[in-house]
Every structure is written in structure tokens, then in C-alpha cells.
Amino acid sequence: KQWYQRRVRGDEAMEELERLKDNISAALHLTYSEVLVQRAWLIHWGLFVYFNHPQGRDSIIDVFLHQKPYLNAVQTMCPHILRYITTAVVISKRRRDGIKELIKVLQQESYKDPITEFVESLYVNFNFDEAQAKLKECKTVIENDFFIVGCLDEFTENARLIISEIFCRIHQRIEIDMLADNLNMEPAEAEKWVVNMIRLAHLDAKIDSKNGYVVMGGTSVPVYQKLIDKTKDLHLKANSCCQKIDKKLTLGI
């Protein structure tokens, strides 16, 4: 009964937030700056609701990241809210819906903390050692943050999943012992983890338990090779453009 009452109150709070959003949008007598301030207040008060509702994390992504007026308010008035947007993206089952947009936003902003840096170290720098170090710092940050302290286990679990998924996607063969070190796990535990990760991420991979490897399937070109090929293409296109310009200058066109 108590759970039901809390859920009803949570649903009512979500509905009130939606009404407040509508009222702010309809307040034509307010100046642009005043609307910006009102949206910033709603963002901060909304954290109390969103992190205490089952669908709240997805709502954070939908409102704060995907709705331009609120993303603009975050970037202009309260960039520290990027911590909560990043946390929501990491623990959301809809992570792929928000990660590309989040990366673009993080690269535009000067605000940094261990949670945002963890995501950048993986998706921008592909630096797994840095990601592991940042993940340890994330634990301290989350434990001392009122809004996300209850998300610690979920964040850690999903962060490990992201690390292992990206690591597997950019390598053709991975030692389970090395992956276990990256995940701070025993090799046997890491092997079970990888099996579950392959299933959840729909990766084309298999476990070679005898030799202690994860072997990626398919004939996809590695990321670094794609980068080399694109660089070669750019070089050829640049040379072609230079030759055309030289030819026009020679002809006096």
C-alpha cells in the first residue's frame, strides 16, 4: 500500500512538472531572460522528482537533453546539471538514444566532473585506463550527491557494461584476464560478465574458454583502419583540389 501511495504521488509530481513546463512556455508576458530563469528553476526542482520516479531517468534525457529550450537553459544557466544528464544516460536502458547528443554537448562545455569525464574518456578518447580511474572517482562523487546516491550500484554496473562493450567493439580478440583487470573482477566472474554483455549488446562474439579469449566475429574493419582509410581519402582529395587550383592559375582563369 505504501509503495502504491508513493507511486501515485510520484506520478502526480510528474504531471505537475509537465503543467509547469506548459505554463512557462505559455507565459508570453515574460522576457527571454525571465523564461530562461524559470526553466532553470524547474530543472533544479525537477531533480527531486525525476530521480525518485521509475521513468524519471528517461524523462531527464527527453527534457534536459533532447528539448532545445531546456538544454539551452542547462548550457546557459546551470552546466553542473550535465552531471545528472550524464548519469541518466549511463543508467538508462535507452542509452543509445542519448549518448551521441550527450557527447556533442560535453565537448562544447567547459564544465567537467568525474562522471562527465568518464563518458568522454570512453566515447571520445577511447582511453580505458583513464576510464577506470574516473570510474573510481565517480563512486566518491555519487556517494556524496543527494540526488544520485541511490544510483551507485546501477551506475557502476552499467559503466562496466559500457567499458566492456566498447573494448570488445574495437578489438578482434581480447584476453579474458586483461578484461577482468579492466573490470576489477576475477577471471571466472569476468567470463560470466562477458557472456551476459554479449547477449545484452547483441555482439557477434564467442568465448574461447580453453585459451581464455573473447573472439569477435564478422569481417568488420577495425576502427583504427577506418580512420587510416578516411585519412588517405582526404589526402587524395586535397591533392586533387590543389592540382585543379594550380591548373586554373596557370591558365589564368
Side-chain angles (χ1 to χ4, degrees):
K1 185 178 178 180
Q2 289 179 345
W3 175 87
Y4 175 75
Q5 289 175 339
R6 287 197 299 269
R7 177 62 186 268
V8 169
R9 288 197 295 269
D11 290 342
E12 290 174 350
M14 291 280 277
E15 291 172 4
E16 288 297 328
L17 277 179
E18 286 300 314
R19 277 195 281 272
L20 280 172
K21 282 174 57 188
D22 292 340
N23 290 339
I24 292 171
S25 297
L28 300 179
H29 63 285
L30 297 178
T31 65
Y32 175 78
S33 297
E34 289 171 334
V35 170
L36 204 60
V37 170
Q38 292 300 314
R39 285 184 173 135
W41 275 113
L42 186 143
I43 287 167
H44 285 85
W45 287 111
L47 295 176
F48 287 95
V49 178
Y50 289 138
F51 280 110
N52 287 283
H53 191 279
Q55 280 79 49
R57 289 81 174 272
D58 289 340
S59 295
I60 287 175
I61 298 170
D62 291 337
V63 178
F64 298 171
L65 186 61
H66 288 155
Q67 293 186 17
K68 288 186 179 180
Y70 284 89
L71 177 58
N72 184 40
V74 169
Q75 292 177 301
T76 306
M77 304 289 292
C78 44
H80 55 276
I81 296 295
L82 289 170
R83 169 185 294 184
Y84 305 107
I85 298 174
T86 304
T87 300
V89 170
V90 169
I91 63 181
S92 174
K93 293 180 180 178
R94 293 169 43 201
R95 183 169 59 249
R96 287 180 178 81
D97 293 343
I99 193 64
K100 288 184 180 179
E101 183 65 25
L102 175 64
I103 293 300
K104 284 195 293 185
V105 172
L106 292 179
Q107 290 185 285
Q108 293 169 3
E109 297 300 320
S110 58
Y111 174 82
K112 305 289 179 188
D113 70 24
I115 294 175
T116 64
E117 289 175 333
F118 166 74
V119 169
E120 286 190 285
S121 66
L122 281 176
Y123 286 96
V124 179
N125 304 325
F126 297 100
N127 187 328
F128 295 95
D129 291 334
E130 182 185 345
Q132 282 288 25
K134 292 299 176 184
L135 183 56
K136 291 178 182 177
E137 293 178 28
C138 287
K139 182 176 184 292
T140 303
V141 170
I142 294 172
E143 285 177 335
N144 291 280
D145 191 300
F146 172 82
F147 293 109
I148 54 178
V149 64
C151 303
L152 178 59
D153 292 340
E154 197 175 357
F155 183 92
T156 304
E157 183 79 6
N158 280 278
R160 283 178 167 177
L161 182 64
I162 294 169
I163 291 172
S164 53
E165 181 181 338
I166 294 176
F167 196 83
C168 288
R169 286 189 185 279
I170 65 175
H171 294 84
Q172 291 297 105
R173 192 173 70 164
I174 306 105
E175 290 184 29
I176 291 176
D177 286 349
M178 182 173 64
L179 198 56
D181 289 339
N182 280 331
L183 297 172
N184 294 320
M185 292 179 173
E186 292 298 319
E189 184 186 3
E191 184 173 338
K192 293 178 182 178
W193 169 271
V194 171
V195 169
N196 187 50
M197 182 271 297
I198 289 171
R199 179 180 59 82
L200 292 174
H202 306 292
L203 295 176
D204 182 9
K206 62 181 181 180
I207 305 293
D208 182 354
S209 298
K210 183 178 179 181
N211 296 308
Y213 285 101
V214 179
V215 182
M216 303 304 296
T219 56
S220 58
V221 179
V223 173
Y224 68 85
Q225 187 61 50
K226 289 181 180 178
L227 183 60
I228 291 170
D229 292 341
K230 286 185 178 180
T231 305
K232 286 179 179 178
D233 289 341
L234 288 173
H235 179 67
L236 291 172
K237 288 178 181 178
N239 280 339
S240 176
C241 287
C242 288
Q243 288 172 5
K244 289 179 181 178
I245 291 171
D246 287 341
K247 186 176 180 180
K248 288 186 177 182
L249 290 173
T250 302
L251 296 173
I253 300 175

